[in-house]
């Protein structure tokens, strides 16, 4: 925002992390944490990673909920696949063409897909937007592609304009 | 009563986590390729961290928390460096 | 475990259930490392432990220490944040490294590029 506090969210997160590590809110650690948070914000401003512009806070919440539900569901599915018989499982690579181009949005999508059991981001072709995924349960390629476009890509395009 | 419940459930969880660490160690020893071993090592780190958290609940001190935090950090750095090494043959380019 | 004697029974049962669920999920994930047949399949296995397996154990720990100390103890959230943000990075790096190595060796079972291979036109 200003020169004094260039990255307010990052600085606040640093302060909270410092207080969690110390497990107090007494004045001493708060003072050290404030200095740390300010220094962290300035260091980040010097490094200039580019500021993500978040629009639509509601969309962020909706995406978070969808991701949590999907991770819970795929936890159960993958546990069943691992314990089940290996003959019925069919895994493989899957290609999807994305319209998403914002690098920060792509990074978030990569983290979501890799953190969820059952899907793993393998490679991305930045020129034409082809994404190479590995899917553990590749029964219906169409439905996987549709699921990723509808549930993740659309909200991410809304959040990162 | 609550003491017994907690004791047995945490002990059971620790045994399961120990078995999980054994599975990861089996994958490290078995391979067959370097990347398989690195995935096993990453899983071993995470399982060990959770085992430490269980020890913390069992002993009632939060000394184990710091050890778990350090293991989580070292596991990330170690696996990232190994993956980089597998890709290029050098850790620092 | 004398420190747990004054804990309410319902809290003890809840903590035990959470820790056991987390341990079982992690064990299934690690069993996947043994049972799944291919490197790219095994790449999915550890995420069981690092997503909900770890969340359950951390929740159990937060609940236990909060009740035991009589004040909210939430510094376990830091471990959760750390693992949630670092696991995708390491797994992605490992996947790319494996793909790179497989391509260098000319393994036919991995795709040659992220783009779909176009069929050569008939003359």
């Amino acid at each position: 925002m200003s020169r004094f506090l260039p990255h307010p969210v990052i600085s606040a997160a640093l302060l909270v992390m410092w207080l969690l590590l110390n497990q107090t809110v007494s004045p001493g650690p708060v003072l050290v944490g404030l200095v740390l948070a300010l220094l962290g914000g300035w260091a980040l401003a010097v490094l200039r990673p580019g500021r993500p512009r978040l629009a639509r806070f509601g969309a962020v919440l909706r995406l978070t909920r969808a991701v949590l539900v999907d991770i819970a569901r795929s936890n159960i599915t993958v546990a069943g696949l691992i314990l089940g018989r290996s003959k019925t499982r069919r895994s493989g690579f899957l290609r999807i063409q994305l319209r998403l181009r914002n690098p920060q949005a792509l990074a978030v999508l990569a983290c979501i897909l890799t953190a969820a059991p059952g899907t793993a981001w393998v490679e991305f072709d930045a020129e034409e937007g082809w994404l190479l995924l590995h899917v553990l349960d590749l029964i219906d390629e169409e439905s996987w592609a549709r699921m990723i476009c509808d549930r993740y890509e659309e909200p991410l395009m809304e959040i990162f304009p | 009563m609550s003491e017994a419940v907690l004791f047995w459930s945490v002990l059971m969880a620790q045994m399961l986590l120990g078995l999980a660490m054994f599975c990861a160690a089996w994958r490290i020893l078995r391979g067959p390729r370097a990347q398989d071993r690195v995935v096993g090592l990453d899983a071993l780190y995470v399982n060990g961290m959770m085992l430490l958290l269980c020890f913390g609940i069992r002993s009632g001190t939060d000394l184990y928390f710091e050890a778990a935090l350090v293991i989580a950090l070292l596991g990330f750095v170690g696996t990232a460096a190994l993956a980089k090494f597998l890709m290029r043959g050098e850790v620092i380019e | 475990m004398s420190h747990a004697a004054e804990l309410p029974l319902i809290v003890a049962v809840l903590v035990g259930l959470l820790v056991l669920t987390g341990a079982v999920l992690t064990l299934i994930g690690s069993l996947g490392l043994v049972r799944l047949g291919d490197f790219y399949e095994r790449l999915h296995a550890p995420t069981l432990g690092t997503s909900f397996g770890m969340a359950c154990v951390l929740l159990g720990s937060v609940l236990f220490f909060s009740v035991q100390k009589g004040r909210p103890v939430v510094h376990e959230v830091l471990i959760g944040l750390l693992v949630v943000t670092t696991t995708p990075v390491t797994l992605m790096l490992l996947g790319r490294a494996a793909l790179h190595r497989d391509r260098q060796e000319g393994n036919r079972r991995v795709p040659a590029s992220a783009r779909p291979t176009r069929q050569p036109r008939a003359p």
Side-chain angles (χ1 to χ4, degrees):
Chain A
M1 293 298 152
S2 61
R3 289 192 53 179
F4 184 63
L5 198 61
H7 292 271
V9 180
I10 300 285
S11 293
L14 270 174
L15 179 62
V16 170
M17 189 196 81
W18 183 256
L19 293 179
L20 277 176
L21 273 177
N22 281 301
Q23 296 194 57
T24 62
V25 277
S26 52
V30 170
L31 204 64
V32 178
L34 274 176
V35 172
L36 197 75
L38 282 179
L39 284 179
W42 293 338
L44 203 61
V46 171
L47 290 172
R48 261 180 283 198
R51 180 194 301 282
R53 291 216 342 267
L54 290 184
R56 317 241 170 133
F57 194 64
V60 176
L61 282 182
R62 253 179 292 136
L63 180 65
T64 313
R65 201 185 56 197
V67 167
L68 281 178
V69 169
D70 285 352
I71 289 183
R73 207 182 288 153
S74 57
N75 258 289
I76 298 166
T77 319
V78 170
L81 283 174
I82 288 173
L83 294 177
R85 293 180 38 166
S86 55
K87 298 273 181 253
T88 53
R89 192 181 60 239
R90 202 172 138 262
S91 68
F93 291 95
L94 172 66
R95 286 192 180 92
I96 297 174
Q97 191 156 30
L98 295 178
R99 285 172 295 148
L100 208 60
R101 285 295 184 281
N102 184 327
Q104 279 140 358
L106 283 170
V108 173
L109 183 64
C111 284
I112 292 173
L113 288 178
T114 313
T119 49
W121 174 290
V122 182
E123 201 181 26
F124 182 66
D125 174 67
E127 277 173 32
E128 293 184 21
W130 282 102
L131 164 66
L132 186 66
L133 282 173
H134 188 271
V135 181
L136 191 57
D137 183 17
L138 192 67
I139 290 169
D140 188 1
E141 300 192 7
E142 271 298 306
S143 73
W144 273 110
R146 215 172 34 241
M147 201 275 276
I148 287 165
C149 285
D150 292 351
R151 285 182 76 93
Y152 304 142
E153 196 189 2
E154 289 284 332
L156 278 173
M157 290 182 91
E158 233 180 278
I159 294 168
F160 295 92
Chain B
M1 180 63 191
S2 58
E3 196 180 337
V5 168
L6 208 59
F7 175 78
W8 284 108
S9 53
V10 173
L11 187 69
M12 190 75 192
Q14 280 179 314
M15 281 173 11
L16 293 178
L17 285 172
L19 204 61
M21 284 180 85
F22 185 79
C23 291
W26 188 82
R27 182 48 70 194
I28 295 176
L29 295 176
R30 182 71 197 276
R33 309 213 37 209
Q35 54 261 42
D36 295 294
R37 296 177 209 269
V38 179
V39 170
L41 187 67
D42 192 51
L44 190 72
Y45 266 121
V46 175
N47 294 348
M49 191 200 72
M50 284 165 64
L51 194 59
L52 272 184
L53 285 173
C54 287
F55 270 115
I57 294 178
R58 232 177 112 177
S59 63
T61 62
D62 49 7
L63 276 179
Y64 288 97
F65 162 78
E66 255 118 274
L69 199 64
V70 170
I71 285 191
L73 264 176
L74 282 184
F76 167 62
V77 176
T79 316
L82 281 171
K84 202 75 194 152
F85 177 75
L86 289 184
M87 215 182 303
R88 300 262 185 242
E90 285 173 39
V91 177
I92 302 166
E93 288 173 41
Chain C
M1 295 211 40
S2 54
H3 61 276
E6 64 271 21
L7 220 62
L9 183 61
I10 178 82
V11 174
V13 170
L14 215 58
V15 170
L17 271 181
L18 278 170
V19 172
L20 267 181
T21 315
V24 166
L25 270 176
T26 313
L27 178 60
I28 292 175
S30 296
L31 268 180
L33 280 180
V34 174
R35 287 201 62 176
L36 299 178
D38 176 17
F39 169 77
Y40 297 99
E41 289 184 1
R42 287 197 284 269
L43 204 56
H44 301 288
T47 51
L48 272 182
T50 55
S51 57
F52 267 51
M54 198 199 47
C56 284
V57 173
L58 287 178
L59 262 181
S61 180
V62 165
L63 186 64
F64 174 78
F65 282 111
S66 299
V67 174
Q68 190 212 16
K69 302 212 158 133
R71 64 183 168 86
V73 177
V74 285
H75 61 329
E76 276 89 350
V77 174
L78 279 179
I79 292 188
L81 270 180
L82 197 69
V83 171
V84 163
T85 47
T86 56
T87 309
V89 178
T90 52
L91 288 183
M92 235 179 299
L93 272 175
L94 274 173
R96 296 201 52 169
L99 195 68
H100 179 75
R101 290 182 65 149
D102 276 338
R103 278 179 188 160
Q104 266 192 339
E105 288 165 10
N107 190 339
R108 296 259 164 199
R109 283 183 303 155
V110 298
S113 80
R115 294 180 203 183
T117 43
R118 295 195 180 86
Q119 300 296 324
R121 277 186 201 153

